[in-house]
């Protein structure tokens, strides 16, 4: 009997270790902020904000809350999401996803381009409807369905405000009523209401999406209040003595979900610091367990700080021989004529707008999801006139990016590396290469530096320069996004004609290097 007991304990311990080894955090790394989640049967669906990028609102699917696959983008038609000249402080803010009686709902804000709206679909993969405009403004809108009623909350005038709407038409049925202003932290936002154990629980974020970010909660027997705050607020923050040394900071903006076994979980955003108090990969999506006793208050992660848990590195290669995956994004509403996918190549036609101008540049990229990676491409044909260039970019925003390219300057071909930082654009590297048929461009990172190199034969690489990642951090350049790794083409020819210059990209490879912190 003792041997059986000992064996059972060993098996239990091994099971716990195996379960922990399978966990990852962040669950969706890189620039994936403001998560919202819903469960439909055995399936979980999660959405993130996308700001000035198109398509908008990436949507993910999981069955275990740990392994997530992007299954599309909610706003995948330009008619759904006007983004003209949107900066990384504008565009699509925090979405909420909900499911009710066979229909999926996604509600969000297009800052600078019309405010709050909602789209619906019969399947999470779409097609999603055209936008249904909403009267009540304030960012971060959310929905609660209760019987035949549909409630909407958002935060106009820094007050969590509730109204009833018609979910089919978006028509507001009741006046907006302020129900809570939080516990005193600035920017009370990200509201979600849950009906549990006879209470309406109101979850919000406070403190701004920065170091002082926090999640607080209140409850009421009446949906219109008054709301009683949790005496133990905030229920999650890393702006504390306990978590001040953590790599993970800025924890906030959460959404609660219950799994089929009755357990509660919280998805939320946070960022990871590198090289001191700098973060360049943006706000990411994390997961934490929640204990929520009947009639009581939810406790996140046992009241302890959130720890990063390693994931296996990924490797992806795109040979442009099939339609691009859901993870590829453009800036603003792209001119589709500038992107031609054929014969195993992606042809980018030079835009007259460069990456510093925040105006529909020819750009296509993917999010940086690991601090340690290699991003590489081959340009195997180009037609560049004087003033034209094409290459790769490490792009945080229009006022903070790095560009490595082949450029035609005075009808001479150069390999160049340029930093654009707050309208200062120093050339970090220039070398004439003469007439070459092919050019490989590569950027790699060790979490501290971006290291750029080029090759004319695909074998021997020549380092151009290395640049500290912190230069492209949010703390340095601002904005609400994170780094994307992309391809671009630009025409600076004074006699510019649309499509007159172009470059053909043969492939793109993104591979992560080793386990990350």
């Amino acid at each position: 009997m003792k041997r059986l007991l000992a064996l059972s304990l060993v098996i239990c311990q091994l099971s716990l270790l195996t379960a922990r080894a399978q966990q990852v955090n962040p669950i969706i790394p890189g620039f994936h902020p403001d998560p919202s989640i819903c469960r439909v049967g055995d399936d979980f669906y999660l959405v993130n904000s996308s700001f000035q990028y198109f398509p908008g609102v990436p949507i993910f699917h999981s069955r275990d809350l740990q392994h997530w696959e992007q299954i599309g983008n909610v706003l995948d038609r330009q008619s759904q999401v006007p983004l003209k000249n949107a900066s990384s402080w504008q565009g699509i803010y925090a979405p909420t996803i909900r499911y009710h009686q066979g229909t999926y709902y996604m509600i969000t804000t297009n800052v600078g381009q019309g405010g709050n709206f909602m789209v619906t679909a019969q399947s999470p993969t779409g097609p999603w409807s055209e936008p249904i405009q909403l009267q009540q403004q304030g960012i971060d809108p959310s929905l609660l369905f209760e019987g035949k009623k549909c409630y909407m909350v958002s935060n106009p005038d820094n007050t969590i405000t509730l109204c009833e709407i018609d979910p089919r038409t978006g028509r507001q049925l009741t006046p907006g009523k302020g129900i809570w202003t939080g516990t005193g932290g600035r920017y009370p936002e990200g509201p979600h209401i849950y009906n549990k154990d006879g209470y309406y629980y109101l979850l919000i974020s406070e403190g701004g999406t920065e170091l002082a970010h926090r999640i607080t909660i209140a409850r009421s027997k009446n949906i219109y209040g008054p709301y009683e705050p949790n005496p133990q607020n905030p229920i999650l923050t890393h702006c504390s003595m306990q978590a001040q040394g953590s790599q993970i900071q800025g924890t906030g903006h959460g959404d609660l979900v219950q799994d089929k076994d009755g357990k509660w979980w919280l998805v939320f955003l946070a960022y990871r610091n590198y090289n001191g108090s700098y973060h360049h990969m943006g706000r990411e999506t994390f997961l934490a367990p929640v204990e929520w006793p009947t009639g009581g208050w939810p406790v996140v992660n046992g009241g302890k700080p959130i720890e990063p848990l390693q994931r296996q590195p990924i490797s992806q290669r795109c040979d442009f021989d099939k339609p691009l995956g859901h993870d590829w994004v453009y800036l603003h509403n792209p001119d589709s004529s500038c992107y031609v996918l054929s014969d195993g190549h992606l042809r980018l036609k030079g835009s007259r707008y460069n990456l510093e101008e925040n105006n529909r540049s020819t750009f296509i990229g993917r999010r940086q999801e690991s601090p340690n990676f290699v991003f590489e491409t081959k340009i195997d044909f180009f037609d560049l006139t004087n003033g034209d260039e094409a290459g790769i970019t490490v792009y945080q925003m229009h006022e903070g990016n790095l560009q490595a390219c082949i450029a035609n300057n005075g009808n001479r071909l150069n390999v160049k590396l340029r930093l654009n930082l707050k309208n200062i654009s120093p050339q970090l590297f220039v070398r004439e290469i003469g007439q070459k048929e092919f050019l490989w461009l590569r950027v790699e990172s060790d979490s501290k530096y971006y290291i750029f190199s080029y090759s004319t034969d695909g074998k021997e690489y020549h380092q151009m320069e290395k640049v500290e990642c912190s230069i492209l951090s949010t703390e340095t350049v601002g904005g609400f996004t994170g780094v994307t790794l992309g391809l671009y083409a630009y025409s600076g020819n004074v006699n510019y004609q649309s499509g007159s210059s172009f470059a053909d990209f043969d492939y793109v490879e993104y591979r992560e290097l080793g386990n990350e912190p």
Side-chain angles (χ1 to χ4, degrees):
M1 180 63 71
K2 290 183 178 179
R3 289 181 179 180
L4 286 174
L5 180 60
L7 181 59
S8 298
L9 289 172
V10 169
I11 292 174
C12 182
Q13 290 171 345
L14 288 174
S15 298
L16 289 172
L17 289 172
T18 301
R20 181 173 177 81
Q22 292 174 344
Q23 289 182 336
V24 294
N25 236 341
I27 54 172
I28 306 179
F31 158 47
H32 291 100
D34 306 320
S36 175
I37 191 171
C38 72
R39 180 175 68 89
V40 182
D42 293 334
D43 300 289
F44 297 92
Y45 300 100
L46 185 148
V47 292
N48 298 105
S49 54
S50 50
F51 294 90
Q52 79 273 37
Y53 288 96
F54 178 86
V57 186
I59 180 167
F60 296 84
H61 169 258
S62 176
R63 288 206 161 187
D64 63 3
L65 293 171
Q66 285 292 320
H67 303 89
W68 292 88
E69 176 189 6
Q70 187 174 352
I71 57 174
N73 293 276
V74 173
L75 306 175
D76 59 4
R77 302 187 302 277
Q78 298 202 30
S79 60
Q80 295 171 306
V81 56
L83 292 169
K84 185 177 180 180
N85 299 122
S87 71
S88 59
W89 289 275
Q90 296 176 314
I92 300 299
Y93 273 40
T96 294
I97 186 169
R98 293 293 183 258
Y99 175 82
H100 181 66
Q101 294 183 351
T103 299
Y104 293 86
Y105 296 80
M106 191 283 296
I107 183 172
T108 188
T109 312
N110 190 343
V111 173
Q113 302 281 347
N116 288 333
F117 69 94
M118 176 173 61
V119 293
T120 64
Q122 302 307 302
S123 167
T125 58
W128 292 79
S129 71
E130 289 298 301
I132 301 166
Q133 298 299 323
L134 301 166
Q135 178 182 337
Q136 181 170 292
Q137 294 302 300
I139 61 170
D140 307 351
S142 181
L143 299 172
L144 173 68
F145 291 91
E146 188 174 49
K148 295 183 179 181
K149 292 187 175 183
C150 176
Y151 296 99
M152 170 186 166
V153 281
S154 59
N155 76 332
D157 302 319
N158 282 319
T159 300
I160 307 303
T161 300
L162 175 75
C163 69
E164 187 180 340
I165 66 170
D166 182 338
R168 297 168 299 172
T169 66
R171 185 168 68 92
Q172 188 165 323
L173 303 178
T174 63
K177 181 182 187 311
I179 57 174
W180 199 35
T181 57
T183 62
R186 67 175 183 166
Y187 306 140
E189 57 193 16
H192 297 297
I193 298 180
Y194 313 90
N195 191 340
K196 182 180 184 295
D197 305 331
Y199 287 99
Y200 294 95
Y201 287 86
L202 173 58
L203 185 80
I204 73 167
S205 295
E206 304 181 45
T209 183
E210 301 145 3
L211 189 64
H213 214 24
R214 68 196 72 165
I215 295 177
T216 57
I217 195 167
R219 69 183 182 184
S220 173
K221 292 284 189 178
N222 187 316
I223 194 169
Y224 286 99
Y227 279 82
E228 167 202 3
N230 181 357
Q232 301 302 315
N233 276 327
I235 62 171
L236 177 64
T237 185
H238 272 204
C239 189
S240 63
M241 290 285 288
Q242 192 177 16
Q244 64 181 342
S246 174
Q247 182 194 33
I248 298 172
Q249 293 297 330
T251 54
H253 200 107
D255 195 6
L256 290 157
V257 69
Q258 189 176 28
D259 66 23
K260 63 181 180 180
D261 296 324
K263 297 179 181 177
W264 286 90
W265 300 86
L266 177 77
V267 293
F268 60 97
L269 70 77
Y271 57 81
R272 288 179 289 173
N273 281 334
Y274 294 92
N275 309 320
S277 298
Y278 296 96
H279 74 282
H280 58 286
M281 291 197 301
R283 297 166 298 160
E284 307 173 291
T285 294
F286 290 74
L287 176 75
V290 176
E291 294 293 333
W292 201 346
T294 301
W297 296 101
V299 177
V300 178
N301 201 43
K304 298 178 181 178
I306 309 300
E307 296 182 3
L309 298 171
Q310 294 180 351
R311 68 171 187 145
Q312 291 298 312
I314 64 171
S315 180
Q316 296 176 336
R317 181 182 171 100
C318 179
D319 289 304
F320 301 123
D321 54 357
K322 56 186 177 182
L324 298 177
H326 300 304
D327 54 343
W328 288 92
V329 292
Y330 307 83
L331 287 167
H332 308 120
N333 299 109
D335 179 352
S336 59
S337 68
C338 290
Y339 307 83
V340 181
L341 193 65
S342 65
D343 300 324
H345 296 87
L346 175 63
R347 174 167 292 184
L348 297 187
K349 299 179 181 180
S351 166
R352 67 184 305 171
Y353 303 110
N354 61 36
L355 293 175
E356 295 95 291
E357 293 183 79
N358 196 45
N359 189 1
R360 206 154 96 152
S361 306
T362 297
F363 163 97
I364 185 168
R366 50 117 56 229
R367 292 160 171 86
Q368 179 187 339
E369 298 179 354
S370 170
N372 309 305
F373 71 89
V374 174
F375 181 77
E376 177 184 291
T377 191
K378 177 188 176 186
I379 303 176
D380 65 359
F381 186 78
F382 48 86
D383 187 358
L384 305 175
T385 58
N386 186 24
D388 299 341
E389 61 186 53
I392 64 176
T393 178
V394 177
Y395 187 93
Q396 174 68 259
M397 60 184 299
H398 71 281
E399 292 186 306
N401 52 76
L402 289 155
Q403 304 160 33
C405 65
I406 182 169
N408 187 325
N409 297 114
N411 295 319
R412 288 182 291 188
L413 291 178
N414 293 329
V415 174
K416 302 170 63 175
L417 176 64
R418 177 172 59 251
L419 167 67
N420 176 54
L421 183 64
K422 300 288 186 181
N423 297 317
I424 301 172
S425 299
Q427 300 286 349
L428 303 181
F429 179 91
V430 180
R431 179 168 296 171
E432 186 173 349
I433 61 170
Q435 295 297 324
K436 298 293 183 182
E437 187 175 359
F438 306 121
L439 183 70
W440 285 258
L441 293 170
R442 174 187 290 175
V443 59
E444 53 191 304
S445 180
D446 59 2
S447 81
K448 185 175 183 181
Y449 291 101
Y450 290 116
I451 305 161
F452 290 84
S453 57
Y454 75 94
S455 173
T456 56
D457 60 8
K459 298 177 182 178
E460 182 181 4
Y461 278 82
H462 309 279
Q463 183 173 315
M464 290 188 267
E465 188 57 83
K466 63 180 184 179
V467 183
E468 287 195 13
C469 298
S470 59
I471 286 180
L472 297 187
S473 67
T474 299
E475 289 75 17
T476 302
V477 301
F480 287 148
T481 56
V483 164
T484 52
L485 308 169
L487 313 177
Y488 79 98
Y490 163 68
S491 178
N493 193 312
V494 293
N495 299 314
Y496 170 81
Q497 292 182 348
S498 178
S500 61
S501 68
F502 62 84
D504 289 346
F505 294 83
D506 184 65
Y507 71 88
V508 166
E509 185 174 11
Y510 170 82
R511 63 182 187 273
E512 298 172 352
L513 306 175
N515 290 324
E516 59 188 71

